[in-house]
Amino acid sequence: MARPPGRWTGGTLTARDILRPHKVADAVFHPAWIPPSLDPSIDRLKRIRVIAGGVASIGVYTVFEGGFDFTELLENALTASAALLVLTPVTVGVMLLVWRRTGPLRQLRTPLLNSLALLLLFIGSVVALALFVQTVNATHSPLVIIGVGITMMWMLGFVARGAFRVTGNFFGTGAVHRCLPALLATVTTWLVAIPDLVTGDLHGLGLTLGVVFILGAPVTVTGIALLETGRLRRRYGIRLGAHPAGHAPAPGRVPPMPPGPPSGHPHVPPPGNPYGPPPGAPYVPPQPHPGSGFVPGQGGGNPYAPGPGGNPYTPPGPQPPYRP
């Protein structure tokens, strides 16, 4: 599960891709060390979970409250990043205490550090975008607005695509345990929604719409997470409470067939005499049958005759008269 040395992006990112923020975000926020999904159906569940999680993290209710406000959206992103910085390590720490009972934790050190680095990288990107926005709003210099504005637009696409990626793989925690992304998504959405429910802050939506928009995302994410972990348990024997080392290896790719003989048929034996001498052995001419009078390459004798020059299918000649 550990990433290849020096291959965070898997070698897929080129210099031309720098101008395309979504390509850079795909390479940075979905590194090569994240294991692929075990099942296409689990991939579909993750995409639905990403959409439901986006409802909670972005806050659709801000649109109904008074129009779309980019500044408020950015503040929500900073708040969510701060919550992730606290909730993710705490949740993972609790699971480490559970896994410690059934196996060592030393082998989980590398994927844990990789996931932490990915979390800090995303939070740093959100903070950098917020600083660019503040700089553009505070300055009156056209050159600064143009230069920083272009960078800010690039960072906006980079962070938006990165948020989509890290919500799907939840900072690569699937490299630690396959069920961990579903658990973290559930815990995060509930802890983001609970303060609004406790304080009664429905953002001017009224009781019905407020409860629907605040509880809709956590309930949806929880249901999808249960489906995801249930399929992992039934199809692959992966349980959330079991140590990752005890899981059966994931089915890999089928190894390629070895190259066949020149004829192109992989199951046809190579030409030649299977009973002959091995390749490279000196040639030894066949020896005649004892007493047959047959010499290979020369006439005379019959190699199938039992005696010298005899033919078993020729009638015998005249016999001499019997003499008492």
Side-chain angles (χ1 to χ4, degrees):
M1 291 185 181
R3 65 180 176 89
R7 288 293 184 180
W8 181 281
T9 62
T12 59
L13 193 63
T14 62
R16 185 178 300 179
D17 294 333
I18 299 299
L19 299 178
R20 295 181 287 183
H22 67 283
K23 295 286 292 184
V24 180
D26 288 342
V28 172
F29 293 114
H30 194 78
W33 48 265
I34 296 180
S37 296
L38 297 176
D39 196 308
S41 62
I42 296 178
D43 275 338
R44 290 191 293 269
L45 289 176
K46 285 184 177 181
R47 284 194 291 268
I48 299 175
R49 174 164 55 82
V50 168
I51 296 174
V55 174
S57 60
I58 296 176
V60 176
Y61 47 81
T62 58
V63 180
F64 293 91
E65 183 180 359
F68 183 79
D69 189 352
F70 181 76
T71 303
E72 184 175 358
L73 175 63
L74 190 59
E75 292 177 355
N76 291 339
L78 289 173
T79 304
S81 299
L84 289 173
L85 187 60
V86 176
L87 297 178
T88 302
V90 171
T91 306
V92 174
V94 172
M95 293 309 303
L96 289 177
L97 294 177
V98 175
W99 297 332
R100 188 178 181 180
R101 302 174 182 176
T102 55
L105 302 180
R106 183 183 301 273
Q107 61 182 358
L108 303 179
R109 180 182 304 173
T110 298
L112 283 172
L113 292 178
N114 289 337
S115 299
L116 179 60
L118 189 57
L119 172 64
L120 295 177
L121 183 61
F122 177 74
I123 294 176
S125 301
V126 175
V127 173
L129 177 60
L131 293 177
F132 284 135
V133 173
Q134 290 181 358
T135 302
V136 171
N137 293 335
T139 187
H140 299 284
S141 173
L143 295 178
V144 174
I145 292 177
I146 293 175
V148 178
I150 293 175
T151 307
M152 182 189 69
M153 296 304 296
W154 189 95
M155 284 294 299
L156 180 60
F158 177 74
V159 171
R161 182 66 176 182
F164 174 80
R165 279 298 191 178
V166 298
T167 306
N169 57 50
F170 223 94
F171 307 102
T173 50
V176 181
H177 195 290
R178 293 281 185 175
C179 297
L180 200 52
L183 173 66
L184 290 172
T186 302
V187 172
T188 302
T189 52
W190 275 107
L191 291 182
V192 168
I194 284 177
D196 290 337
L197 292 176
V198 172
T199 60
D201 185 9
L202 302 180
H203 302 272
L205 294 177
L207 180 61
T208 303
L209 286 178
V211 171
V212 168
F213 279 107
I214 291 175
L215 289 182
V219 171
T220 305
V221 171
T222 302
I224 296 172
L226 291 176
L227 287 175
E228 183 178 342
T229 54
R231 291 185 180 182
L232 289 173
R233 181 181 66 255
R234 292 190 305 269
R235 298 181 181 181
Y236 305 99
I238 299 177
R239 299 178 180 273
L240 179 61
H243 193 278
H247 298 156
R253 296 181 178 179
V254 178
M257 291 291 295
S263 62
H265 301 283
H267 303 293
V268 176
N273 187 0
Y275 305 102
Y283 174 73
V284 178
Q287 301 298 320
H289 189 276
S292 65
F294 171 75
V295 179
Q298 303 177 10
N302 189 340
Y304 303 102
N311 189 341
Y313 304 103
T314 302
Q319 300 292 330
Y322 173 72
R323 292 180 183 179

